[in-house]
Amino acid sequence: MAGDKGGKNDMERIGLFQEMGYVTIGDKYATPGSKPFNEAAHKGKQMLPGGSKTISALQAGYFDEKFARVMEGEAYSDAVKRRRQDRLKESKRNISKAFLPSSGDKKPSGLGNHYGTLGGPVGAFSPAAKPGKPYKSPGRNVVTNPPKKGTGYGYPNLLVGKQYTYSSNPYDKGKELRRKDQIASRNAMKGGAFKLNMHPRTYFDSNPYFADKPLPPLKKKPVGKSDIKPFKPSSPAKAIGGSKAGTFDPYPSHSNDAYKPKVQKGPKPMNSSGKIFTPSPGPKSAPTSSIVNQNVIRSINSTNFRTIGTTLA
């Protein structure tokens, strides 16, 4: 009986009742492969062949009763006859008789002989020597009058042109030029060196105690005795002894708790159906059967009660 004012029904109160599942109807699970793939193939008459055949040269060793050609009714062609017909067809294209030379073949009498050729001797292949150009003297070399003595290395005035003039090369020429450039650069300066006050600095200074501001003046000590007395602990020290006796302050008084459970005011929350919202129930209680009944249920259940009944009978 369901309560109209927020009560629980029998299905939620006790575990004897339950709602049937929507996934299966409780049938026994059959493992894949237990049933045959084609049940109709196991029943009735099957295909019966005419017996096995042995491979032999007879027609019974093949599937067909009669040997069939690859191309049934093809024409027979004679290759010799076809070549003879082609040769007669080509001979009809000749206008006159075949070409025959006026006399027999001429045989050469030796290597390099032009006897028996159509063109005769060739002038380019003649072994006669050709007339060459007359010899012309190349002339004398250029000489000096009188010739100069010496090998050219370490002897002056032996070249064709004029002798090179001597040019001096000071030892400290580069140093003197740099000094002149430095003096000219200093004379061109109008003021001191340029210094930029906005140069980048590091985020943290190397000296944490460095300050750009000047230090304040030192404070002078007051003349006379001061009213401040130094702290002096109690002697002897107080023992705690499980209480607040050894502390500076007395035991604090109990303070009111600022966090209290909220008291809901107003109507209770309702569902879309208009009923009071109830959370999901926890585990349900159910009666426990004895060990004897459990063994009976295990041996006799809804799947094998028919077979067990027949065996007992």
Side-chain angles (χ1 to χ4, degrees):
M1 179 178 180
D4 298 336
K5 298 181 180 180
K8 296 182 179 180
N9 52 16
D10 296 339
M11 187 176 295
E12 296 179 356
R13 185 180 296 106
I14 191 168
L16 296 177
F17 306 98
Q18 62 178 357
E19 188 174 359
M20 300 303 294
Y22 299 96
V23 179
T24 178
I25 59 175
D27 50 351
K28 189 177 180 180
Y29 176 73
T31 56
S34 60
K35 294 183 179 181
F37 176 73
N38 189 2
E39 295 184 1
H42 295 267
K43 301 177 182 179
K45 294 183 178 181
Q46 307 299 325
M47 182 180 65
L48 299 176
S52 59
K53 295 182 178 181
T54 56
I55 300 176
S56 62
L58 301 178
Q59 191 64 29
Y62 298 93
F63 290 97
D64 297 338
E65 297 179 357
K66 182 181 178 182
F67 179 75
R69 296 174 60 89
V70 179
M71 297 180 64
E72 189 72 23
E74 70 272 14
Y76 176 73
S77 59
D78 189 0
V80 178
K81 182 179 179 181
R82 187 170 62 253
R83 286 196 297 269
R84 189 185 300 110
Q85 291 176 356
D86 295 341
R87 187 166 58 253
L88 293 175
K89 188 184 297 182
E90 293 293 336
S91 63
K92 291 180 181 180
R93 299 175 60 182
N94 295 331
I95 301 175
S96 60
K97 297 181 180 180
F99 171 75
L100 296 175
S102 58
S103 59
D105 298 337
K106 296 180 180 181
K107 297 181 180 180
S109 58
L111 186 64
N113 189 10
H114 300 281
Y115 176 76
T117 58
L118 299 177
V122 181
F125 298 124
S126 176
K130 295 182 179 180
K133 296 181 180 180
Y135 175 77
K136 184 179 181 181
S137 178
R140 297 182 62 186
N141 295 330
V142 178
V143 294
T144 58
N145 189 16
K148 297 181 180 182
K149 297 180 180 180
T151 59
Y153 297 100
Y155 293 88
N157 199 14
L158 294 179
L159 304 177
V160 178
K162 294 182 179 181
Q163 186 69 21
Y164 292 106
T165 58
Y166 174 75
S167 58
S168 61
N169 185 14
Y171 179 74
D172 293 338
K173 185 66 177 293
K175 184 178 180 181
E176 187 68 20
L177 293 176
R178 289 193 298 270
R179 189 179 66 82
K180 290 181 180 180
D181 293 342
Q182 189 177 5
I183 293 173
S185 177
R186 288 182 180 178
N187 295 334
M189 293 175 62
K190 297 182 179 180
F194 175 74
K195 295 182 179 180
L196 182 64
N197 295 330
M198 298 176 62
H199 66 278
R201 298 182 179 179
T202 57
Y203 190 79
F204 297 101
D205 297 334
S206 59
N207 186 5
Y209 302 101
F210 177 77
D212 297 336
K213 299 180 180 179
L215 296 176
L218 298 175
K219 295 182 179 180
K220 296 182 179 180
K221 294 182 179 180
V223 180
K225 297 180 179 180
S226 60
D227 297 336
I228 302 174
K229 296 180 180 181
F231 170 75
K232 184 179 180 182
S234 61
S235 181
K238 297 179 181 180
I240 295 177
S243 62
K244 299 295 181 178
T247 59
F248 294 99
D249 298 333
Y251 187 80
S253 60
H254 178 70
S255 59
N256 296 329
D257 192 2
Y259 300 97
K260 295 181 180 180
K262 294 183 179 181
V263 180
Q264 186 178 1
K265 297 180 181 180
K268 296 182 179 180
M270 299 290 182
N271 294 335
S272 59
S273 60
K275 296 182 180 180
I276 300 175
F277 171 75
T278 54
S280 59
K284 302 174 183 179
S285 61
T288 305
S289 60
S290 63
I291 299 176
V292 177
N293 293 337
Q294 290 181 4
N295 293 334
V296 172
I297 293 173
R298 290 174 184 173
S299 59
I300 302 175
N301 47 44
S302 59
T303 58
N304 62 354
F305 72 97
R306 298 182 184 275
T307 58
I308 292 177
T310 54
T311 54
L312 294 177

Short mmCIF file of all heavy atoms in Angstrom, two decimals, residues 231-261:
data_model
loop_
_atom_site.label_atom_id
_atom_site.label_comp_id
_atom_site.label_asym_id
_atom_site.label_seq_id
_atom_site.Cartn_x
_atom_site.Cartn_y
_atom_site.Cartn_z
N PHE A 231 61.16 42.70 30.20
CA PHE A 231 60.28 41.60 30.61
C PHE A 231 61.07 40.61 31.45
O PHE A 231 62.20 40.24 31.11
CB PHE A 231 59.71 40.89 29.36
CG PHE A 231 58.99 39.62 29.67
CD1 PHE A 231 57.71 39.65 30.23
CD2 PHE A 231 59.58 38.39 29.41
CE1 PHE A 231 57.05 38.48 30.52
CE2 PHE A 231 58.92 37.22 29.72
CZ PHE A 231 57.65 37.27 30.27
N LYS A 232 60.43 40.16 32.49
CA LYS A 232 61.06 39.20 33.39
C LYS A 232 60.07 38.09 33.66
O LYS A 232 58.99 38.34 34.19
CB LYS A 232 61.47 39.89 34.70
CG LYS A 232 62.21 38.96 35.66
CD LYS A 232 62.60 39.71 36.92
CE LYS A 232 63.34 38.79 37.89
NZ LYS A 232 63.70 39.48 39.15
N PRO A 233 60.38 36.86 33.32
CA PRO A 233 59.44 35.76 33.56
C PRO A 233 59.29 35.47 35.03
O PRO A 233 60.13 35.83 35.86
CB PRO A 233 60.06 34.59 32.80
CG PRO A 233 61.52 34.90 32.77
CD PRO A 233 61.63 36.40 32.69
N SER A 234 58.16 34.78 35.37
CA SER A 234 57.92 34.43 36.76
C SER A 234 58.91 33.37 37.23
O SER A 234 59.35 32.54 36.45
CB SER A 234 56.47 33.91 36.92
OG SER A 234 56.30 32.76 36.12
N SER A 235 59.24 33.47 38.43
CA SER A 235 60.20 32.52 38.99
C SER A 235 59.63 31.96 40.27
O SER A 235 59.32 32.74 41.21
CB SER A 235 61.54 33.22 39.26
OG SER A 235 62.48 32.30 39.78
N PRO A 236 59.39 30.67 40.43
CA PRO A 236 59.61 29.64 39.40
C PRO A 236 58.50 29.60 38.37
O PRO A 236 57.46 30.21 38.57
CB PRO A 236 59.64 28.37 40.23
CG PRO A 236 58.74 28.66 41.37
CD PRO A 236 58.93 30.12 41.72
N ALA A 237 58.72 28.88 37.26
CA ALA A 237 57.71 28.77 36.20
C ALA A 237 56.53 27.95 36.68
O ALA A 237 56.65 27.06 37.51
CB ALA A 237 58.33 28.12 34.96
N LYS A 238 55.35 28.28 36.16
CA LYS A 238 54.12 27.58 36.52
C LYS A 238 54.01 26.30 35.71
O LYS A 238 54.31 26.27 34.52
CB LYS A 238 52.91 28.46 36.26
CG LYS A 238 52.90 29.74 37.10
CD LYS A 238 51.69 30.57 36.76
CE LYS A 238 51.68 31.87 37.58
NZ LYS A 238 50.49 32.69 37.24
N ALA A 239 53.53 25.24 36.36
CA ALA A 239 53.30 23.97 35.68
C ALA A 239 51.90 23.95 35.10
O ALA A 239 50.95 24.45 35.72
CB ALA A 239 53.50 22.81 36.64
N ILE A 240 51.74 23.32 33.93
CA ILE A 240 50.42 23.30 33.29
C ILE A 240 49.48 22.43 34.07
O ILE A 240 48.38 22.85 34.44
CB ILE A 240 50.56 22.81 31.83
CG1 ILE A 240 51.39 23.82 31.03
CG2 ILE A 240 49.20 22.61 31.19
CD1 ILE A 240 51.63 23.40 29.61
N GLY A 241 49.89 21.21 34.38
CA GLY A 241 49.07 20.34 35.22
C GLY A 241 47.76 19.95 34.60
O GLY A 241 46.77 19.73 35.32
N GLY A 242 47.63 19.89 33.26
CA GLY A 242 46.40 19.48 32.60
C GLY A 242 45.36 20.56 32.55
O GLY A 242 44.21 20.29 32.22
N SER A 243 45.68 21.80 32.87
CA SER A 243 44.71 22.90 32.83
C SER A 243 45.41 24.12 32.25
O SER A 243 46.54 24.04 31.75
CB SER A 243 44.18 23.18 34.23
OG SER A 243 45.24 23.59 35.07
N LYS A 244 44.76 25.26 32.35
CA LYS A 244 45.30 26.51 31.84
C LYS A 244 46.00 27.30 32.95
O LYS A 244 46.09 28.53 32.88
CB LYS A 244 44.19 27.36 31.22
CG LYS A 244 43.49 26.69 30.06
CD LYS A 244 44.42 26.49 28.88
CE LYS A 244 43.71 25.84 27.71
NZ LYS A 244 44.59 25.68 26.55
N ALA A 245 46.51 26.62 33.93
CA ALA A 245 47.11 27.32 35.06
C ALA A 245 48.46 27.93 34.70
O ALA A 245 48.88 28.92 35.28
CB ALA A 245 47.29 26.36 36.23
N GLY A 246 49.16 27.32 33.74
CA GLY A 246 50.49 27.81 33.40
C GLY A 246 50.51 28.78 32.26
O GLY A 246 51.59 29.09 31.75
N THR A 247 49.38 29.30 31.80
CA THR A 247 49.32 30.24 30.70
C THR A 247 49.18 31.66 31.20
O THR A 247 48.90 31.89 32.37
CB THR A 247 48.14 29.89 29.78
OG1 THR A 247 46.94 29.94 30.54
CG2 THR A 247 48.31 28.49 29.20
N PHE A 248 49.35 32.61 30.30
CA PHE A 248 49.22 34.01 30.68
C PHE A 248 47.77 34.40 30.89
O PHE A 248 47.44 35.16 31.80
CB PHE A 248 49.84 34.90 29.60
CG PHE A 248 51.33 34.73 29.47
CD1 PHE A 248 51.87 33.92 28.49
CD2 PHE A 248 52.19 35.36 30.35
CE1 PHE A 248 53.24 33.76 28.37
CE2 PHE A 248 53.57 35.20 30.24
CZ PHE A 248 54.09 34.40 29.25
N ASP A 249 46.87 33.86 30.02
CA ASP A 249 45.46 34.22 30.12
C ASP A 249 44.71 33.12 30.83
O ASP A 249 45.10 31.94 30.80
CB ASP A 249 44.87 34.41 28.72
CG ASP A 249 45.56 35.56 27.98
OD1 ASP A 249 46.06 36.46 28.67
OD2 ASP A 249 45.59 35.52 26.73
N PRO A 250 43.57 33.43 31.47
CA PRO A 250 42.75 32.39 32.10
C PRO A 250 42.06 31.53 31.06
O PRO A 250 42.10 31.80 29.85
CB PRO A 250 41.76 33.19 32.95
CG PRO A 250 41.66 34.51 32.25
CD PRO A 250 43.02 34.80 31.70
N TYR A 251 41.42 30.48 31.52
CA TYR A 251 40.72 29.56 30.61
C TYR A 251 39.62 30.30 29.87
O TYR A 251 38.79 30.98 30.50
CB TYR A 251 40.15 28.39 31.41
CG TYR A 251 39.57 27.31 30.53
CD1 TYR A 251 40.41 26.37 29.93
CD2 TYR A 251 38.20 27.22 30.29
CE1 TYR A 251 39.91 25.38 29.12
CE2 TYR A 251 37.70 26.23 29.47
CZ TYR A 251 38.55 25.31 28.90
OH TYR A 251 38.05 24.32 28.09
N PRO A 252 39.60 30.24 28.55
CA PRO A 252 38.57 31.01 27.81
C PRO A 252 37.18 30.44 28.04
O PRO A 252 37.00 29.23 28.21
CB PRO A 252 39.01 30.85 26.36
CG PRO A 252 39.78 29.59 26.31
CD PRO A 252 40.47 29.49 27.65
N SER A 253 36.21 31.31 28.03
CA SER A 253 34.83 30.89 28.20
C SER A 253 34.29 30.32 26.91
O SER A 253 34.79 30.61 25.82
CB SER A 253 33.97 32.08 28.65
OG SER A 253 34.02 33.10 27.66
N HIS A 254 33.28 29.46 26.99
CA HIS A 254 32.70 28.83 25.82
C HIS A 254 31.94 29.87 25.00
O HIS A 254 31.14 30.65 25.54
CB HIS A 254 31.76 27.71 26.26
CG HIS A 254 31.08 27.05 25.10
ND1 HIS A 254 31.74 26.26 24.18
CD2 HIS A 254 29.77 27.08 24.69
CE1 HIS A 254 30.90 25.82 23.27
NE2 HIS A 254 29.69 26.31 23.56
N SER A 255 32.22 29.89 23.72
CA SER A 255 31.55 30.82 22.81
C SER A 255 30.46 30.10 22.06
O SER A 255 30.54 28.90 21.79
CB SER A 255 32.56 31.43 21.82
OG SER A 255 33.17 30.40 21.08
N ASN A 256 29.46 30.83 21.72
CA ASN A 256 28.34 30.25 20.98
C ASN A 256 28.78 29.88 19.55
O ASN A 256 29.58 30.59 18.92
CB ASN A 256 27.17 31.24 20.91
CG ASN A 256 26.62 31.53 22.29
OD1 ASN A 256 26.65 30.67 23.17
ND2 ASN A 256 26.12 32.75 22.48
N ASP A 257 28.25 28.73 19.07
CA ASP A 257 28.58 28.26 17.72
C ASP A 257 27.80 29.08 16.71
O ASP A 257 26.57 29.12 16.74
CB ASP A 257 28.25 26.78 17.59
CG ASP A 257 28.84 26.18 16.31
OD1 ASP A 257 29.52 26.94 15.57
OD2 ASP A 257 28.61 24.99 16.04
N ALA A 258 28.53 29.73 15.82
CA ALA A 258 27.85 30.57 14.83
C ALA A 258 27.22 29.74 13.70
O ALA A 258 26.33 30.22 13.00
CB ALA A 258 28.84 31.56 14.22
N TYR A 259 27.71 28.49 13.52
CA TYR A 259 27.20 27.66 12.44
C TYR A 259 26.21 26.66 13.01
O TYR A 259 26.59 25.74 13.73
CB TYR A 259 28.36 26.93 11.74
CG TYR A 259 29.37 27.88 11.14
CD1 TYR A 259 30.53 28.20 11.84
CD2 TYR A 259 29.16 28.47 9.90
CE1 TYR A 259 31.46 29.08 11.32
CE2 TYR A 259 30.09 29.34 9.36
CZ TYR A 259 31.23 29.65 10.07
OH TYR A 259 32.14 30.50 9.54
N LYS A 260 24.96 26.84 12.69
CA LYS A 260 23.89 25.97 13.16
C LYS A 260 23.17 25.39 11.95
O LYS A 260 23.20 25.99 10.86
CB LYS A 260 22.90 26.74 14.02
CG LYS A 260 23.51 27.27 15.32
CD LYS A 260 22.48 27.99 16.14
CE LYS A 260 23.06 28.52 17.44
NZ LYS A 260 22.06 29.24 18.24
N PRO A 261 22.55 24.24 12.10
CA PRO A 261 21.80 23.68 10.96
C PRO A 261 20.64 24.59 10.59
O PRO A 261 19.93 25.10 11.45
CB PRO A 261 21.34 22.31 11.48
CG PRO A 261 21.40 22.41 12.95
CD PRO A 261 22.53 23.35 13.30
#
